[in-house]
C-alpha cells in the first residue's frame, strides 16, 4: 500500500497495469455478427449526418 503513495499513476493506470493483456485477448475472441455491424454503421451514419446538418446551419 505504501509503495503506491509515491506514484503519480491514476487508479485506471494501476488497474490497467495489473490486468495486463487480459482485455486485449478477451476482446479478440468476440465475434461480431453482420447484423450488429449494420446497426453500428447505421448509428454512426445517423450521428455523422446530424453533425453535418448542424455544421451547415448559420
Amino acid at each position: 500500500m505504501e509503495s503506491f503513495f509515491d506514484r503519480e499513476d491514476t487508479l485506471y493506470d494501476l488497474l490497467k497495469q495489473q490486468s495486463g493483456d487480459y482485455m486485449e485477448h478477451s476482446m479478440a475472441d468476440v465475434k461480431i455478427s453482420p447484423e450488429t455491424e449494420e446497426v453500428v454503421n447505421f448509428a454512426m451514419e445517423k450521428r455523422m449526418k446530424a453533425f453535418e446538418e448542424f455544421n451547415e446551419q448559420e
Side-chain angles (χ1 to χ4, degrees), residues 17-34:
Q17 291 170 10
Q18 294 300 314
S19 68
D21 292 335
Y22 171 76
M23 291 301 289
E24 289 180 25
H25 294 299
S26 66
M27 292 301 291
D29 296 337
V30 175
K31 302 292 185 225
I32 300 174
S33 71

Side-chain angles (χ1 to χ4, degrees), residues 10-56:
T10 64
L11 180 59
Y12 175 76
D13 294 330
L14 296 172
L15 291 172
K16 190 173 175 185
Q17 291 170 10
Q18 294 300 314
S19 68
D21 292 335
Y22 171 76
M23 291 301 289
E24 289 180 25
H25 294 299
S26 66
M27 292 301 291
D29 296 337
V30 175
K31 302 292 185 225
I32 300 174
S33 71
E35 293 84 8
T36 302
E37 288 183 15
E38 287 179 26
V39 169
V40 169
N41 288 337
F42 175 77
M44 293 294 289
E45 289 175 13
K46 187 173 180 181
R47 184 175 293 168
M48 289 304 296
K49 185 177 178 182
F51 277 111
E52 290 171 1
E53 289 174 359
F54 176 80
N55 286 334
E56 291 173 1

